[in-house]
């Protein structure tokens, strides 16, 4: 009996030791490859113009879409469509599980954020809704819309940036333009004197980002500033013009020496032929004369020799 008790106790201990590892070992099998939502976004309460982050998690999904749903549920925007619906709002990370809303306007008060996950079959799974609560200060923030986009310019060209803003309470508006060398607003610096609804950036070779902040002013009170998204102005250097290739000076044609004293009979072709014939004739006559003279001398000697022979006889 004692032996069987020990065996049963050993089996129980073995089962107890195996239980903690069972969920980890078979966790993937429990999912069965099905899409499983593991986290829904949480609601956020922010001041007008502040930022907020929403996080959703799931397993075995192939795509996701962030949804923005109106308080009455009648209007739905997907992903960055909300930027067009709420001027001044910026979004980051809507392609993934962590969505950041930047410069949340008061118009988003009461709206909901929700994530739609998609599985490999195209089926959709929705997370719980997270409500956005936006607190407004003593002075309502303006509605802001940037009317100008970025541009790539050459020296001598210019682009004027313009913002359109309105105050819900009819309060005066204050503008301030900023310059930044990155797309992040927190690295910007205020531009001295750029306090109007329009601003024309100076020529600066390279890429520079510009954005504007707008406030509503009521006496000593001011609303939360609303900033536009930075836009890039790029000035490019003009390409240096190619230097013209040097052209070779034309080779002057040879010129005949000046003719002094009329035509030269030794150079003129017709005169040369005549001169050669005359010289040949002269040489011929000279040769004949010499031959005749030699024959005459020989003949004279022969006659003298004959005469001397006759006298000796």
């Amino acid at each position: 009996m004692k032996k069987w008790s020990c065996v049963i106790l050993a089996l129980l201990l073995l089962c107890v030791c195996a239980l903690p590892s069972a969920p980890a070992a078979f966790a993937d099998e429990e999912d069965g490859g099905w899409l499983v939502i593991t986290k829904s976004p949480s609601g956020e309460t922010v001041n007008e113009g502040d930022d907020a982050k929403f996080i959703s998690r799931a397993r075995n999904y192939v795509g996701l879409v962030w949804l923005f749903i109106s308080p009455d549920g009648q209007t739905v925007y997907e992903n960055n469509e909300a930027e067009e619906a709420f001027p001044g709002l910026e979004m980051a990370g809507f392609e993934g599980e962590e969505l950041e809303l930047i410069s949340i306007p008061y118009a988003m008060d009461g709206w909901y954020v929700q994530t739609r996950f998609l599985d490999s079959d195209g089926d959709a799974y929705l997370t719980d809704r997270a409500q956005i609560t936006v607190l407004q200060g003593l002075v309502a923030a303006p509605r802001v819309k940037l009317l100008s986009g970025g541009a790539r310019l050459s020296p001598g060209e210019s682009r004027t940036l313009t913002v359109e803003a309105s105050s819900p309470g009819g309060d005066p508006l204050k503008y301030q333009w900023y310059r930044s060398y990155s797309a992040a607003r927190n690295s910007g610096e205020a531009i001295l004197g750029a306090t109007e609804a329009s601003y024309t950036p100076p020529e600066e070779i390279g890429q520079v980002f510009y954005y504007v902040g707008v406030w509503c002013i009521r006496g000593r009170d001011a609303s939360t500033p609303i900033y536009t998204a930075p836009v890039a102005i790029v000035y490019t250097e003009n390409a240096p013009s190619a230097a013209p290739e040097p052209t070779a000076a034309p080779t002057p044609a040879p010129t005949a020496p000046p003719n002094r004293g009329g035509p030269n009979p030794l150079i003129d072709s017709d005169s040369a032929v005549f001169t050669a014939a005359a010289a040949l004739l002269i040489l011929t006559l000279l040769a004949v004369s010499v031959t005749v003279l030699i024959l005459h001398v020989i003949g004279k000697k022969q006659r003298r020799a004959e005469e001397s022979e006759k006298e000796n006889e």
Side-chain angles (χ1 to χ4, degrees):
M1 184 69 179
K2 189 179 294 186
K3 180 179 178 181
W4 285 105
S5 299
C6 293
V7 172
I8 293 172
L9 181 59
L11 291 173
L12 289 174
L13 290 174
L14 182 61
C15 292
V16 170
C17 294
L19 281 176
S21 62
F26 297 99
D28 293 337
E29 294 183 6
E30 288 179 358
D31 290 345
W34 299 102
L35 190 152
V36 178
I37 294 175
T38 58
K39 185 183 186 316
S40 292
S42 302
E44 296 288 343
T45 299
V46 298
N47 293 317
E48 184 180 18
D50 285 350
D51 306 338
K53 180 177 286 188
F54 300 87
I55 301 175
S56 291
R57 305 288 188 198
R59 291 198 300 267
N60 303 324
Y61 71 92
V62 296
L64 64 85
V65 178
W66 286 93
L67 306 175
F68 299 87
I69 305 166
S70 62
D72 60 7
Q74 300 300 309
T75 304
V76 179
Y77 298 111
E78 296 184 357
N79 291 337
N80 57 342
E81 290 178 352
E83 290 182 325
E84 295 294 330
F86 300 101
L89 174 69
E90 293 182 56
M91 303 173 60
F94 59 84
E95 305 91 346
E97 296 179 341
E98 298 186 7
L99 170 70
E100 186 175 6
L101 301 184
I102 304 169
S103 295
I104 300 175
Y106 183 72
M108 293 196 74
D109 182 46
W111 280 67
Y112 296 93
V113 176
Q114 189 176 32
T115 310
R116 182 171 65 214
F117 287 100
L118 304 174
D119 65 11
S120 57
D121 296 327
D123 296 327
Y125 296 77
L126 295 173
T127 64
D128 296 334
R129 294 182 180 183
Q131 190 172 38
I132 305 172
T133 302
V134 184
L135 304 179
Q136 194 172 45
L138 295 176
V139 182
R143 299 183 181 93
V144 179
K145 182 178 182 181
L146 186 64
L147 302 181
S148 309
R152 181 176 293 272
L153 306 173
S154 298
E157 299 178 335
S158 64
R159 166 63 65 90
T160 298
L161 304 176
T162 304
V163 68
E164 181 181 81
S166 61
S167 170
D171 301 304
L173 297 172
K174 176 184 177 182
Y175 302 88
Q176 177 61 61
W177 289 88
Y178 296 84
R179 175 196 298 111
S180 175
Y181 292 97
S182 73
R185 276 204 322 244
N186 56 8
S187 64
E189 58 180 359
I191 302 172
L192 184 65
T195 56
E196 302 294 334
S198 296
Y199 175 69
T200 302
E203 290 187 13
E204 184 173 349
I205 299 301
Q207 179 173 262
V208 184
F209 292 89
Y210 297 91
Y211 62 93
V212 64
V214 186
W215 296 261
C216 290
I217 305 297
R218 185 184 301 165
R220 294 183 178 181
D221 296 322
S223 71
T224 300
I226 300 299
Y227 299 93
T228 61
V231 295
I233 299 296
V234 182
Y235 272 98
T236 57
E237 293 182 305
N238 288 329
S241 57
E245 295 183 0
T247 55
T251 303
T255 56
N259 187 3
R260 299 176 182 177
N264 189 347
L266 297 177
I267 296 176
D268 183 79
S269 59
D270 294 336
S271 298
V273 172
F274 176 78
T275 301
L280 181 61
L281 178 60
I282 292 172
L283 291 175
T284 303
L285 292 176
L286 182 59
V288 170
S289 299
V290 172
T291 303
V292 171
L293 180 59
I294 293 172
L295 292 176
H296 176 72
V297 172
I298 294 172
K300 189 175 180 180
K301 287 183 177 182
Q302 288 178 349
R303 286 196 297 273
R304 286 180 180 178
E306 291 175 356
E307 290 176 358
S308 296
E309 289 179 357
K310 287 179 179 181
E311 288 178 0
N312 292 332
E313 291 178 357

